[in-house]
Amino acid sequence: MSNIGMILEEKAANIGNFLVGRLLPFREKRSVGPFVFIDHMGPVYMKDYQNLDVPPHPHIGLSTLTYLFEGSIFHRDSIGSAVEIKPGAVNWMTAGKGVVHSERTPEHLRHADKSLHGFQIWVGLPKHLEQEEPSFHHTEAENIPTWKDGDIAYKLIAGEVFGRKSPVPVHSKLFFIEIKSSSEQTISIGNDLFGEAAMYVLDGTVTIEGNNYGSKQLLIAKNAKLCEFTIAANSTVYLFGGAPFDEPRYIYWNFVSSDKETIENAKRNWTDQNLEAFPKVPGDEQDFVPLPQPNRG
């Protein structure tokens, strides 16, 4: 019997400036462990007159994880953080009861040809932390745990697994791992995983139970403990998951919560531009993304 419970194809989603490949949520699968939203950005190539500009927008009830392969994003938030995200670094912003942030091309790249490629991820918060004060943590690339086992290179972007722990300050039991191999290898790591698990094939192919799976496919395991696969030479995959929450998480736009009324309050506060709930972003105060209206067509 196959351990693959679901195979999902990356689907296009419009985030304003350009299309991204949405991995989660899908109608058939709303979350994997605490992971409730994953976008694969790019690769997109922009001319000197094209830039990423996502104006200030709000979040509640989640942590955002930004991880780039190529390019650069300048992050500002209502806590006062202002940092350039470069490839291999991890931006971890915990919204808690409410935070506002913007994501733009850095000034030094705004008049140059450039590329952008990476992940934008939302991780739900445990119920008792959904109303905590917002916080921000930036981890440089050199501080992310990396190791090799023969031709296989591992990187523990977030969480704790294999007896190792990423310095990214997560709030629940989870893992987010990059695996690259320069030769064909069979990897059996089920005994190290826990909760729910999924694999995203970024480059190359993997073989599971005699079937080949290529790039832009998301494979969701029925049982993380049975996770075994053969990775082709020059392939890159990402394994993510962890312990699921006891309660469902509701999502409306950028708001995540175990309580629907909390989301309704957030919608009202953002529409009213309630600065107590959603303060301005220092250095980026002139613009904001309005609350989207439901499509009644």
Side-chain angles (χ1 to χ4, degrees):
M1 181 178 294
S2 174
N3 187 41
I4 298 177
M6 196 173 295
I7 304 166
L8 301 176
E9 297 286 342
E10 182 179 302
K11 62 180 179 180
N14 193 332
I15 64 168
N17 292 58
F18 54 89
L19 291 175
V20 298
R22 184 141 301 162
L23 305 180
L24 281 178
F26 267 71
R27 182 172 299 171
E28 301 92 336
K29 186 64 177 173
R30 308 305 299 178
S31 61
V32 176
F35 291 82
V36 297
F37 177 99
I38 300 181
D39 269 354
H40 173 209
M41 304 180 294
V44 62
Y45 301 98
M46 294 174 278
K47 303 298 289 183
D48 55 2
Y49 55 87
Q50 297 173 310
N51 292 293
L52 172 71
D53 281 304
V54 182
H57 55 282
H59 290 288
I60 65 167
L62 56 83
S63 294
T64 62
L65 189 161
T66 304
Y67 183 78
L68 299 181
F69 315 130
E70 299 175 37
S72 183
I73 296 174
F74 201 88
H75 164 100
R76 284 188 172 90
D77 62 42
S78 53
I79 309 166
S81 314
V83 64
E84 183 176 347
I85 313 169
K86 297 179 180 180
V90 177
N91 250 32
W92 180 263
M93 182 184 71
T94 297
K97 66 181 184 180
V99 76
V100 183
H101 75 134
S102 64
E103 297 156 296
R104 301 185 185 273
T105 298
E107 283 298 326
H108 68 91
L109 293 175
R110 293 189 74 83
H111 302 290
D113 292 351
K114 53 202 156 284
S115 61
L116 189 63
H117 190 197
F119 285 132
Q120 289 273 32
I121 296 171
W122 296 356
V123 181
L125 289 172
K127 187 174 182 178
H128 70 282
L129 296 178
E130 287 182 321
Q131 293 298 311
E132 72 169 4
E133 293 294 326
S135 61
F136 175 83
H137 191 275
H138 180 83
T139 304
E140 295 291 357
E142 59 266 26
N143 295 323
I144 300 297
T146 60
W147 68 98
K148 293 197 75 173
D149 181 5
D151 289 343
I152 307 169
Y154 294 90
K155 182 181 294 185
L156 181 54
I157 298 168
E160 192 169 357
V161 74
F162 306 131
R164 292 174 167 87
K165 184 177 182 179
S166 168
V168 175
V170 302
H171 301 288
S172 61
K173 286 179 61 63
L174 61 86
F175 52 87
F176 184 45
I177 315 158
E178 176 188 89
I179 302 176
K180 295 186 175 186
S181 186
S182 58
S183 65
E184 182 178 295
Q185 298 285 328
T186 296
I187 299 173
S188 181
I189 56 176
N191 288 334
D192 295 289
L193 304 184
F194 54 89
E196 298 180 332
M199 174 192 294
Y200 177 65
V201 184
L202 179 70
D203 294 310
T205 59
V206 297
T207 303
I208 302 175
E209 298 156 351
N211 297 308
N212 296 327
Y213 303 97
S215 62
K216 297 190 176 183
Q217 287 189 311
L218 179 67
L219 312 175
I220 298 173
K222 292 179 181 175
N223 185 343
K225 294 295 183 186
L226 300 178
C227 189
E228 180 176 293
F229 57 96
T230 297
I231 184 170
N234 304 314
S235 295
T236 302
V237 303
Y238 290 85
L239 280 172
F240 64 92
F245 296 127
D246 293 334
E247 323 84 7
R249 289 299 180 273
Y250 303 105
I251 301 178
Y252 181 91
W253 189 39
N254 300 321
F255 304 137
V256 175
S257 181
S258 61
D259 177 62
K260 290 183 178 180
E261 185 54 37
T262 298
I263 291 178
E264 292 302 314
N265 287 335
K267 289 162 63 175
R268 286 191 290 268
N269 285 332
W270 184 247
T271 298
D272 296 342
Q273 285 293 283
N274 182 336
L275 297 182
E276 185 174 338
F278 293 117
K280 292 287 188 179
V281 175
D284 200 343
E285 302 179 9
Q286 302 306 311
D287 195 10
F288 67 92
V289 180
L291 184 79
Q293 298 304 309
N295 185 352
R296 302 187 186 281

